[in-house]
Every structure is written in C-alpha cells, then in structure tokens.
Amino acid sequence: MREDTRTRIQEVALRLFTEQGYEATSLREIAEELGVTKAALYYHFKTKDDIVASLVEKRLTELDELLAWVRSRPRTPETRRELVDRYADNIRATRHLGIARFLERNQTALRDHPTLIKIRERMMQLTSEISEPGAPPAERISHSLALFALHAGKWLMKEGELSDEEIHKACLEVAHRLLER
C-alpha cells in the first residue's frame, strides 16, 4: 500500500510540475489533488526536491548499469551498437517520456538540482565511453549524437503523426548511422 501511495504522489506531482511548473506547484496542491492531508504527503516526501529525486532515481540507476556494462566490454562497433540499443530500450518506457517533458519544461528551476547534476554527469560519462580514446572529434561527436538522436525523434514528430514503434525504429536507424562515422 505504501508503494501505491508513493507512486500516486509521483504521478500527480509529475503532472502538476509539468502543467503548472515546478516552482508554481506546492506540496499543498499535490496533497489536495490526491485528496490527502499535507501531513500524509509529508510522510512520504518531505520536499518537492525529494519528489524530483524519486522521479529520476530509476533513470540514474539505469545509467549506472549501462556505464558498468559498457566499461566491461571492448570498445568495438558491436559494443557501441549494443549500447545504443540498450539505451533505446531504457528510454522507451512511458514514464521516461513524461519525466523528460517535465525536466525540459522546468530546466531553469531544476538546473542545479543535485540528482539532475548526477544525470548530466552520467550522460557525459556515457558519451565518453562510446568512442575510442583519441578518436577524432567529428567521430566522438557523431557517436555521442547517436544517444541523443534517440530522444530527438520523440520531440520532433507531431503527436499522432507516427506510432511510438515507428518513431523508435526511425530513431534507432538514425542512431546506428551516426555510429558508422
């Protein structure tokens, strides 16, 4: 039951943070939307920052797992391709897109949030692992952009223009091409 309540709080907070903005949403509003007291909400999360940290915690774990995996492998074209495929699978989760929208719409307010700084650090580490040390700059940039191409399709396509599967396949195709450089 406790996990269900935490999940409900996260879902409502994510929606309100995205719709109204992180700074404009209070814990009181989240509690009211849930139909609970602020004290009940406080039992699970003391601050809005705690809610944000809980929302991106899984993403941080996924990035850490990808980093550990890629560091255990030789830096080969096959490893790069598999890394991109694994990364693509990780970001396909519906919740990831909702969190990404929230983060994108609240960049200024969350720029210095400690958990988000960790995410940026992990992404920088991942992009440095995707190429050989000493690879030419254009190659390193191309390989790094392969990861970001997986995000771009979700933002650049008009809603309903393509299915999620079509977007996923197109993003993977572009990412794989970027790895060939």
Side-chain angles (χ1 to χ4, degrees):
M1 183 68 167
R2 185 179 188 292
E3 274 308 306
D4 288 346
T5 302
R6 279 183 64 85
T7 301
R8 283 186 51 232
I9 292 168
Q10 289 170 323
E11 289 169 354
V12 168
L14 180 61
R15 183 175 51 77
L16 292 175
F17 290 160
T18 303
E19 290 173 0
Q20 299 176 180
Y22 174 77
E23 291 175 326
T25 303
S26 68
L27 287 176
R28 179 190 51 75
E29 287 175 288
I30 296 168
E32 286 176 2
E33 184 81 16
L34 286 162
V36 300
T37 65
K38 189 174 172 185
L41 176 66
Y42 193 74
Y43 173 79
H44 295 280
F45 297 102
K46 305 275 187 251
T47 66
K48 292 190 303 183
D49 283 346
D50 291 343
I51 297 172
V52 171
S54 75
L55 289 170
V56 296
E57 187 176 278
K58 182 178 181 194
R59 180 79 182 126
L60 193 55
T61 300
E62 290 170 349
L63 289 173
D64 285 339
E65 289 170 357
L66 272 175
L67 276 166
W69 176 83
V70 76
R71 287 174 176 159
S72 73
R73 313 288 292 184
R75 289 189 186 189
T76 64
E78 294 78 19
T79 298
R80 281 191 283 281
R81 188 176 177 93
E82 188 171 343
L83 173 64
V84 166
D85 291 346
R86 286 173 179 237
Y87 187 84
D89 288 342
N90 283 345
I91 66 169
R92 279 189 90 178
T94 304
R95 187 163 181 161
H96 173 78
L97 186 56
I99 292 170
R101 281 194 177 111
F102 152 65
L103 295 174
E104 184 266 330
R105 291 181 183 160
N106 291 278
Q107 288 178 40
T108 304
L110 298 170
R111 181 182 54 238
D112 297 323
H113 192 283
T115 306
L116 299 178
I117 290 170
K118 289 178 187 175
I119 295 260
R120 283 192 293 273
E121 289 170 353
R122 296 315 190 282
M123 285 303 299
M124 294 306 295
Q125 292 170 11
L126 203 55
T127 60
S128 72
E129 294 290 336
I130 201 165
S131 297
E132 289 288 336
E139 183 179 309
R140 291 192 328 251
I141 291 169
S142 181
H143 291 174
S144 297
L145 287 174
L147 296 172
F148 294 101
L150 298 169
H151 294 275
K154 295 179 185 330
W155 300 107
L156 299 176
M157 303 308 296
K158 291 180 186 171
E159 182 120 6
E161 186 176 354
L162 297 173
S163 71
D164 288 343
E165 185 61 25
E166 290 170 317
I167 292 170
H168 174 73
K169 285 181 179 179
C171 289
L172 264 178
E173 181 180 330
V174 170
H176 288 158
R177 285 184 197 166
L178 287 165
L179 291 176
E180 294 169 5
R181 177 145 173 85

